[in-house]
Amino acid sequence: MKIPGQYQFIQGMRISDLILRAEGILDETYTGRAYLIRRNEDLSRQYEGINIGEILATPSASQNAVLRKYDIVQVFSKRRFVDPDSISVFGSVRN
């Protein structure tokens, strides 16, 4: 999100509406996987995988859920899914 943070809950707001309120997503956002985290009545959390790219391309997509009070939309950077271009060796090493 360009402006991450907490936003006022508005009845009927969908995930796409929240993204618009956050002024969209960054170029480095991984759009293939994000999570809608919902709080259950017993205060446990339920994680639902969502596709931000699909939601933005098709706002009528079923994944563009109506948000509930206390929902969290968690998005990730593409860098989180890239392996580093280095290796590490640990322990006793003989030359």
Side-chain angles (χ1 to χ4, degrees), residues 57-75:
T58 312
S60 62
S62 62
Q63 292 191 35
N64 192 13
V66 174
L67 295 172
R68 299 178 193 162
K69 201 170 186 178
Y70 308 114
D71 278 354
I72 298 170
V73 177
Q74 183 179 29
V75 298

Side-chain angles (χ1 to χ4, degrees), residues 39-44:
R39 190 169 82 175
N40 297 318
E41 288 183 20
D42 64 358
L43 302 182
S44 64

